[in-house]
Amino acid sequence: MDTNTIIAVVILVVGITVGILMGLPVAVAMGLPSTVAIVILLDWEGAALTSAQQIFAASNSFALLAIPFFILAGGLMNTGGIASRLIDLALVVAGRLPAPLAQTTVVANAMFGSVSGASVASAAAVGTVLSPRMRKEGYDPAFSATVNAASSPSGMLIPPSNTFIVYSLVAGGGASIGALFMAGVGPGILWALICIVMVALYARKRPELRATGPRPTLKQAVIVFLRAIPALLMIVVVIGGILSGFFTATESAVIAVLYSLALGLVQRTLSVKDLPKVLLEATKVTGIIMLLIGVSGILGYVLAFARIPQLVTQGLLGFTDNTAIILIIIMIVLLLAGTVMDPTPAILIFTPIFLPVVVALGVSPVHFGAMMVFNMCLGNISPPIGNNLFVAARVGNVRIESVFKGIWPYFWALCIGLLIVAFVPALSMWLPETLGLIRP
């Protein structure tokens, strides 16, 4: 590297780190150092032109249209009261387990998260409905909020998932959205199962939580299931359409919006007056994500110009050619990054750096995508920045410090789950390979 390139890389690394630690918006913390680095690498005129080109190039993707539509579909589902029907179904499924309302929280988060595609929305919706009920039944409010926070990221893994769409964009042709969606099913179910086990272990120490809920009659179970079918059908329509090739992931997102809108209006759980608010919220979230993606184009240009991915690959492979050790190093870096960063910017920053390394070791980009998203989901529940912790604490009406304290057993158990995802590729690869979604 020449002197200018070294200076640019130092400014990039230090600038992003300091900006994030100072609490600047991630787009600013990522974009400002990247722009300064381009100015150093090029002249002012070339830097301005290149920055504009990279922002446009990063955002100019048909596949990205799926993100705002899935966000809008999730908002329509949330506002339309779909959460309550899925929670009723979750109570039927998990009501016979120890600490039934806590187990219902886990199952409901997996269901609603997969419908909405957003773990924060899931934590808010499920927590709003179940937290008062759990408090009334004598559950410790801090425990209730902790279970809600810990289980909500499972929806980021179970398709459809905006996080996988972002990863697919950065990873390129080696990881299709359909393959990544299917790769997330196993890890997503594993996440929920770990939370179920942790709740059961907690209940063993507290006799008052060991009692299971009343067994619903067959008639009650059938009624609850029938009421939840319309919401569950959205997943079938979206994923089934993608897998059958009937429509693309982007087109499926549009179908999801139309389906959610029609469902809410027909069932009269959504009114026309609700639409402006839902559209505004979806626009805000989309704007944030698209700004991050655009700015990541500048970052990607600097990384490519300075040959950072190649240097990292050479450095790690020069240190060791043991796949397990390199994967552990990558997971540790991502865990540390997840404590101060949201999943989307972390994926945008680290995928171009680490993906060439694992591909050189023979790891599938689809498997690495499942591992990376699971890794970054842990960031959503890791203090001090994890968004799900703050949302769960707010809707549960408890102090954030109590959630910080209670989350650690779940965090370490889910770290074991991360190791399983990383070192048992079949968990994430079996389904996409069986369905023929992995490109040779």
Side-chain angles (χ1 to χ4, degrees):
M1 271 196 239
D2 58 29
T3 303
N4 283 350
T5 303
I6 294 174
I7 294 174
V9 171
V10 170
I11 290 176
L12 187 68
V13 174
V14 174
I16 292 176
T17 304
V18 172
I20 290 173
L21 293 177
M22 288 176 59
L24 294 176
V26 177
V28 176
M30 193 163 63
L32 214 55
S34 300
T35 303
V36 173
I38 283 190
V39 171
I40 293 173
L41 294 172
L42 309 172
D43 55 48
W44 280 96
E45 182 178 350
L49 180 61
T50 301
S51 297
Q53 289 174 335
Q54 295 305 316
I55 290 175
F56 177 79
S59 308
N60 185 28
S61 171
F62 180 73
L64 283 178
L65 287 173
I67 292 178
F69 285 115
F70 275 130
I71 291 172
L72 179 56
L76 291 169
M77 283 280 189
N78 195 8
T79 305
I82 298 301
S84 61
R85 300 190 177 202
L86 293 177
I87 288 171
D88 290 340
L89 178 60
L91 188 57
V92 171
V93 173
R96 300 297 297 169
L97 297 173
L101 288 179
Q103 302 286 16
T104 298
T105 299
V106 177
V107 176
N109 269 318
M111 289 182 178
F112 186 74
S114 63
V115 171
S116 67
S119 64
V120 172
S122 179
V126 174
T128 299
V129 175
L130 281 177
S131 291
R133 185 171 176 178
M134 295 175 76
R135 189 185 294 265
K136 184 178 179 180
E137 293 287 335
Y139 285 76
D140 178 8
F143 166 70
S144 303
T146 300
V147 173
N148 186 24
S151 59
S152 54
S154 61
M156 290 176 60
L157 290 157
I158 301 173
S161 169
N162 291 327
T163 314
F164 279 127
I165 296 174
V166 174
Y167 173 83
S168 177
L169 171 73
V170 183
S176 69
I177 294 175
L180 288 166
F181 277 2
M182 291 299 98
V185 173
I189 293 174
L190 175 64
W191 186 293
L193 288 176
I194 289 173
C195 291
I196 287 173
V197 171
M198 293 300 294
V199 170
L201 292 175
Y202 180 89
R204 287 185 61 186
K205 301 177 182 178
R206 289 160 177 78
E208 70 276 12
L209 296 181
R210 293 179 192 171
T212 60
R215 183 186 297 274
T217 65
L218 178 60
K219 181 179 179 180
Q220 291 172 329
V222 170
I223 291 174
V224 169
F225 178 71
L226 291 176
R227 291 180 73 244
I229 281 180
L232 297 175
L233 273 179
M234 193 192 87
I235 304 175
V236 176
V237 171
V238 169
I239 303 304
I242 294 174
L243 297 181
S244 66
F246 191 73
F247 42 69
T248 66
T250 304
E251 292 164 346
S252 73
V254 179
I255 298 296
V257 170
L258 296 176
Y259 185 92
S260 304
L261 180 60
L263 182 62
L265 294 176
V266 169
Q267 295 182 338
R268 297 184 180 181
T269 56
L270 182 71
S271 68
V272 176
K273 293 181 180 179
D274 296 324
L275 296 182
K277 181 180 178 181
V278 174
L279 288 168
L280 179 61
E281 287 301 315
T283 302
K284 288 180 180 178
V285 177
T286 300
I288 294 171
I289 293 176
M290 294 307 296
L291 178 60
L292 285 169
I293 291 173
V295 169
S296 73
I298 308 176
L299 173 63
Y301 178 86
V302 175
L303 294 176
F305 192 97
R307 299 183 69 252
I308 297 299
Q310 293 90 332
L311 292 174
V312 171
T313 301
Q314 293 171 6
L316 286 175
L317 294 180
F319 171 71
T320 178
D321 60 356
N322 187 300
T323 303
I325 294 176
I326 291 180
L327 286 178
I328 289 173
I329 292 172
I330 291 174
M331 285 187 284
I332 291 173
V333 172
L334 293 177
L335 278 176
L336 293 174
T339 62
V340 294
M341 297 180 69
D342 284 334
T344 298
I347 286 172
L348 291 169
I349 291 173
F350 290 105
T351 300
I353 295 174
F354 290 137
L355 184 58
V357 178
V358 298
V359 169
L361 293 169
V363 177
S364 166
V366 174
H367 174 215
F368 182 67
M371 182 193 103
M372 191 173 192
V373 172
F374 196 106
N375 216 140
M376 300 319 303
C377 282
L378 283 167
N380 270 24
I381 63 168
S382 61
I385 304 297
N387 286 334
N388 293 42
L389 301 177
F390 291 92
V391 172
R394 186 172 69 249
V395 298
N397 195 26
V398 299
R399 293 175 59 86
I400 188 62
E401 292 83 359
S402 62
V403 182
F404 280 175
K405 181 179 179 181
I407 199 65
W408 289 114
Y410 295 87
F411 180 84
W412 295 120
L414 289 164
C415 283
I416 296 174
L418 173 60
L419 293 175
I420 295 173
V421 173
F423 296 117
V424 185
L427 182 66
S428 51
M429 295 295 289
W430 178 81
L431 196 53
E433 285 179 346
T434 301
L435 295 172
L437 298 173
I438 302 294
R439 298 179 182 178

